[in-house]
Amino acid sequence: MSRTNGTATLEPIKTAPIAPASLRSTDQPRLFQRVREQMDRAAEAVGLAPEVRKILSSPACEVGVNFPVRMDDGRIEMFSGYRVQHNNVLGPFKGGIRYHPDVSLDEVRALAAWMTIKCALVDIPFGGGKGGVQVDPATLSRREVERMTRRFVYALGANIGPGYDVPAPDVGTDARTMAWIVDTYAATLPPQERYRALSVVTGKPVSAGGSVGREKATGQGVVDLIECWAQDQRCKVADLSYTVQGFGKVGSWAARILKDKGAKLLAAQDVTGAIRSYTAEGLDADALAEHVKTTGGVAGFPGAQAISREAFFEVQADVFVPAALENQVTGETARLLKVRLVAEGANGPTTSEGDIVLRERGIAVLPDVLCNAGGVIVSYFEWLQNRGGAAWSAAEVDQRLREILERAYARVKEMAADKSLGWRDAAYAVALRRIEQVYAERGIFP
Ligand code: GLU
């Protein structure tokens, strides 16, 4: 069911035989293959219907577009973008759009599949999708990013839509990007239908139809789940210390909310470098977020010690929050960690080998599909508000988010105990069972 829109050529999906994770020679197989292996492992553990496994092993639809953008100096540049729609049996395809130089079809496929699992796990009526453009937005002017965004949306055409496929921010995109998407999408509709355009994306600025609480939502969810875990450990968040990798939308909010609860930020790392606190009191997460906003990264934060990337992984703390890109907790870095919990704010931060090492070392994991689901949950709230013409209060958003995450946490915990599974396998198992149930009820057309 692959289709191209424009001239991009899509690579066929390779169906390699699945080797047990421990026997693989490479630590970082293609990302979508890793997701399929993960789904297979969980499916095996709960005896999932084989046809459901088969359906989820390929995305339902893949759109690839090459499109021209006029740069500020008058030149025309070509850009490549993707939208992968993995599965929509639970509801419209849902997932962010990423601007990053390493974006590839394989990565977008994996990210789309993770959205399918994430939405099913937290039980919101969305499927999984993801988009991306291969570009480093930092090398473009603001106007160039705007023109690129608008041309990408125009090129995607009817492949996105409020009841069909609903993008959101991801790495390299933000609320402003979403506002341009609404505006461009609205311009493609007849005037009488433009009211529908608002819910074509979530993560918009609050003044342009966004939800309060969406900007911090992923970080808030990370903290809500760390609190669930702390409660099970009979300790208080105020007594925890933590380190954060990536100080963007997810990492900085998680760090700031943890700080408000009294936890201590001992170290942070991003592309610009790594820093640690000289004292047990920790770094001021709010001041660090300001520093990142003005300088572009954590490096050079006054009053902190510059350390190496390896030294960052070795900092002793209770919780490590990876909130950057994929493949950061590898077999190698997982051996360096001196923490009790890895709370995955990023998508796919842990490789298969990293996972094995964490398990062997008895380090607990709040897996990405659970831990960073706060973003898409509040996206769902935004979509509901847009469609109902409503505006919820910050307290209502926070409370409903927490309820959904607590329920999902409890479901994963129960599955892990029932089937003696690690939390990642358990989270996938809960999600797959939810999807299986719907296929069993609806059947397959014709
Ligand atoms: N990009 C975010 C994620 O990976 C949010 C997706 C959304 O809100 O649709 O979960």
Side-chain angles (χ1 to χ4, degrees):
M1 280 196 280
S2 247
R3 86 171 170 255
T4 51
N5 180 356
T7 51
T9 314
L10 301 182
E11 309 151 44
I13 297 169
K14 297 198 181 66
T15 44
I18 292 157
S22 55
L23 297 183
R24 270 203 319 272
S25 56
T26 163
D27 191 15
Q28 296 175 19
R30 289 164 63 90
L31 213 51
F32 185 57
Q33 180 62 14
R34 187 170 106 204
V35 186
R36 290 204 296 191
E37 288 172 14
Q38 180 58 61
M39 287 198 284
D40 279 344
R41 221 170 14 248
E44 199 67 53
V46 292
L48 196 82
E51 55 269 26
V52 174
R53 213 198 278 203
K54 213 178 269 180
I55 291 168
L56 296 177
S57 69
S58 319
C61 179
E62 301 182 332
V63 182
V65 290
N66 295 322
F67 53 99
V69 177
R70 187 174 298 282
M71 310 311 278
D72 288 345
D73 63 5
R75 264 179 317 123
I76 299 288
E77 282 283 347
M78 290 300 290
F79 290 85
S80 299
Y82 309 100
R83 185 75 188 169
V84 173
Q85 297 163 335
H86 178 255
N87 185 272
N88 63 349
V89 76
L90 295 183
F93 300 108
K94 185 82 191 81
I97 289 181
R98 174 172 292 201
Y99 291 169
H100 193 277
D102 295 340
V103 160
S104 66
L105 182 55
D106 175 59
E107 181 190 50
V108 179
R109 275 179 185 149
L111 290 162
W114 279 322
M115 290 307 301
T116 300
I117 297 293
K118 202 182 295 186
C119 294
L121 168 62
V122 299
D123 206 5
I124 57 175
F126 282 133
K130 202 80 171 200
V133 178
Q134 208 179 78
V135 62
D136 181 356
T139 62
L140 303 185
S141 71
R142 181 198 140 118
R143 298 194 44 146
E144 287 169 339
V145 176
E146 175 176 350
R147 284 196 294 271
M148 186 193 72
T149 301
R150 290 181 182 279
R151 274 308 293 234
F152 182 44
V153 173
Y154 181 74
L156 288 176
N159 289 298
I160 59 170
Y164 178 60
D165 184 349
V166 184
D170 195 76
V171 174
T173 57
D174 58 15
R176 193 173 61 185
T177 325
M178 299 306 113
W180 292 329
I181 295 179
V182 173
D183 191 65
T184 308
Y185 182 78
T188 67
L189 299 177
Q192 299 80 357
E193 285 180 38
R194 288 189 187 151
Y195 68 93
R196 289 199 297 114
L198 209 55
S199 54
V200 72
V201 285
T202 57
K204 299 177 289 289
V206 175
S207 51
S211 175
V212 292
R214 175 61 186 86
E215 201 199 314
K216 66 161 185 163
T218 310
Q220 178 69 56
V222 170
V223 178
D224 286 345
L225 288 158
I226 292 174
E227 273 189 320
C228 292
W229 172 84
Q231 208 166 22
D232 280 346
Q233 305 298 307
R234 295 184 210 295
C235 62
K236 291 201 201 69
V237 170
D239 298 329
L240 298 177
S241 57
Y242 62 105
T243 62
V244 176
Q245 183 193 47
F247 225 75
K249 295 188 290 286
V250 179
S252 70
W253 275 110
R256 289 159 68 183
I257 298 167
L258 282 169
K259 176 204 155 187
D260 286 346
K261 292 180 180 288
K264 308 284 186 280
L265 173 60
L266 297 187
Q269 189 240 328
D270 67 8
V271 282
T272 66
I275 53 170
R276 73 175 294 168
S277 170
Y278 283 112
T279 71
E281 269 318 288
L283 304 164
D284 180 342
D286 290 300
L288 182 54
E290 270 312 305
H291 174 80
V292 170
K293 215 184 264 174
T294 49
T295 69
V298 301
F301 182 55
Q305 181 189 5
I307 54 172
S308 69
R309 183 170 181 271
E310 285 68 35
F312 167 77
F313 278 97
E314 286 174 330
V315 171
Q316 182 149 12
D318 296 300
V319 183
F320 169 47
V321 182
L325 292 172
E326 301 93 50
N327 300 332
Q328 298 301 305
V329 183
T330 60
E332 197 186 324
T333 56
R335 282 187 192 93
L336 302 177
L337 287 172
K338 296 191 181 76
V339 297
R340 297 159 64 201
L341 173 71
V342 175
E344 296 182 341
N347 288 308
T350 306
T351 67
S352 311
E353 202 193 330
D355 237 347
I356 293 168
V357 174
L358 293 179
R359 205 158 44 235
E360 279 168 5
R361 299 191 53 215
I363 296 174
V365 177
L366 285 170
D368 52 3
V369 287
L370 173 64
C371 194
N372 70 32
V376 74
I377 293 169
V378 179
S379 274
Y380 170 51
F381 297 163
E382 180 174 330
W383 189 77
L384 284 178
Q385 290 171 73
N386 289 161
R387 291 166 81 92
W392 301 2
S393 70
E396 189 173 0
V397 168
D398 279 354
Q399 192 204 326
R400 289 201 188 197
L401 169 63
R402 198 177 172 102
E403 281 167 12
I404 290 181
L405 287 174
E406 280 176 358
R407 278 202 297 273
Y409 180 92
R411 280 196 293 271
V412 176
K413 185 172 155 181
E414 193 185 325
M415 178 66 83
D418 258 20
K419 304 274 177 194
S420 304
L421 297 176
W423 275 55
R424 194 183 312 280
D425 290 351
Y428 275 69
V430 171
L432 292 173
R433 274 274 167 84
R434 170 86 188 90
I435 294 168
E436 177 185 48
Q437 181 193 2
V438 180
Y439 275 116
E441 283 159 356
R442 283 175 51 164
I444 306 284
F445 173 81

